[in-house]
Amino acid sequence: MKEISLFLLLTLSCILHAQAGNDKATADQAYQHKNYVEAVRSYEACLKQDEKSHTLTDKQRAELQYNLGNAYYRQQRFAHAVLAYRRALQLNPAHTDAAFNLQLTTTKLTDHFDAPSEMFFVSWTKRIIYSQSAATWGICALLALIVTLSVGMCCLFPWKLWLRRTALTVACLAGSCAIAFECFAHLQTNRLTDNRLAVVMQTTIVRNSPSATAKEIRELHEGTTVTVKEIFKDQWLQVQLPDGTEAYVTKEKLAFV
């Protein structure tokens, strides 16, 4: 009985995987023929199918989101394109094409913000950390740890003093890299889980408190990305705007990344 159940499960998985592959092929063909409406429908069908089957890797899902964003961009549906590119980068932070297209799409939006000022070394460090996924940094940390242990053991051999000192120096450097890479992985994971992003899908007013009668701060247009800090009274969200301003907005006007 277990063998039959396993066989049926594998068969169903293969069918779903083949269906997702067909939808992607259809979407790619539609995109190439500039039928962007059909491309959007097919890419979204692939993603919905994967929600049920979970047959795709994060990189494959990121590629689908990236392609979906391109199709939306071609239709000038910039808010949807921003959302798709953001989701692609959540799945694969090292997706440089998605990052570039997101930056390009942002220039098409109505709202533009000045980013909070940072010291140059802070921005430089963030670019390094966010250039790779948490998994990649974790692998780098593991490799650096292996080098640390391997080279460190060389210090136990009765070699010449300068060789042992060199081995000790290399081991210390590799150990420091292992700690740094592990910290990078932790920070990247926290960025993706703690700082939940949302994209404004409908033009809306943000206010200084969670009430429809509260003072208006400004109007946000479609495509603006905000950081959700807290869900307040179910329908209200406390958000941080790209310039660092904190405000409140109703939940139904946003789509979570």
Side-chain angles (χ1 to χ4, degrees):
M1 187 65 182
K2 290 183 179 179
E3 289 78 3
I4 296 176
S5 299
L6 180 59
F7 175 76
L8 292 175
L9 182 62
L10 290 174
T11 302
L12 178 60
S13 177
C14 291
I15 293 172
L16 292 175
H17 188 71
Q19 180 62 42
N22 291 335
D23 286 336
K24 185 180 185 305
T26 301
D28 291 340
Q29 187 176 19
Y31 186 87
Q32 291 172 2
H33 287 84
K34 299 183 179 181
N35 186 354
Y36 303 121
V37 174
E38 176 61 23
V40 165
R41 188 200 67 77
S42 297
Y43 284 131
E44 288 184 338
C46 289
L47 291 165
K48 288 180 181 178
Q49 186 64 54
D50 181 64
E51 289 179 2
K52 300 176 182 178
S53 61
H54 301 287
T55 57
L56 301 178
T57 65
D58 282 349
K59 284 191 175 182
Q60 289 174 322
R61 295 186 189 102
E63 197 63 27
L64 283 174
Q65 290 287 359
Y66 167 70
N67 292 337
L68 177 62
N70 290 342
Y72 274 130
Y73 180 86
R74 293 295 185 179
Q75 297 181 71
Q76 297 187 357
R77 298 171 66 181
F78 298 128
H80 289 80
V82 168
L83 181 62
Y85 291 140
R86 289 281 184 190
R87 286 174 173 171
L89 289 169
Q90 288 277 36
L91 293 163
N92 181 14
H95 200 309
T96 55
D97 290 337
F100 177 83
N101 285 8
L102 173 61
Q103 186 176 11
L104 175 64
T105 307
T106 302
T107 64
K108 307 290 185 180
L109 303 179
T110 302
D111 293 333
H112 298 282
F113 297 85
D114 294 326
S117 59
E118 292 180 331
M119 299 296 291
F120 77 93
F121 60 87
V122 175
S123 301
W124 179 74
T125 302
K126 284 183 177 180
R127 281 198 297 271
I128 292 176
I129 295 173
Y130 301 156
S131 66
Q132 302 296 329
S133 66
T136 300
W137 285 127
I139 293 172
C140 291
L142 179 60
L143 293 175
L145 180 60
I146 292 173
V147 172
T148 301
L149 296 176
S150 300
V151 178
M153 290 185 66
C154 294
C155 299
L156 302 177
F157 293 102
W159 290 347
K160 292 182 180 180
L161 181 60
W162 70 270
L163 282 175
R164 283 183 288 164
R165 285 181 175 176
T166 301
L168 180 60
T169 301
V170 172
C172 290
L173 289 174
S176 299
C177 289
I179 294 172
F181 293 153
E182 184 61 29
C183 290
F184 291 173
H186 181 69
L187 290 171
Q188 182 68 298
T189 300
N190 285 347
R191 182 177 78 95
L192 298 180
T193 55
D194 293 345
N195 295 333
R196 192 168 189 188
L197 300 179
V199 177
V200 178
M201 305 306 291
Q202 300 178 40
T203 299
T204 186
I205 300 295
V206 295
R207 303 178 183 274
N208 66 350
S209 63
S211 171
T213 58
K215 180 181 178 181
E216 297 181 3
I217 295 180
R218 63 169 295 162
E219 185 178 55
L220 286 184
H221 297 86
E222 295 180 2
T224 300
T225 303
V226 298
T227 302
V228 178
K229 309 297 289 185
E230 185 178 354
I231 299 177
F232 194 85
K233 291 184 178 179
D234 295 332
Q235 64 178 1
W236 288 92
L237 300 175
Q238 182 184 16
V239 300
Q240 185 178 63
L241 307 186
D243 61 359
T245 302
E246 292 194 355
Y248 294 85
V249 63
T250 51
K251 185 178 180 180
E252 68 270 10
K253 300 297 180 68
L254 276 65
F256 286 99
V257 175

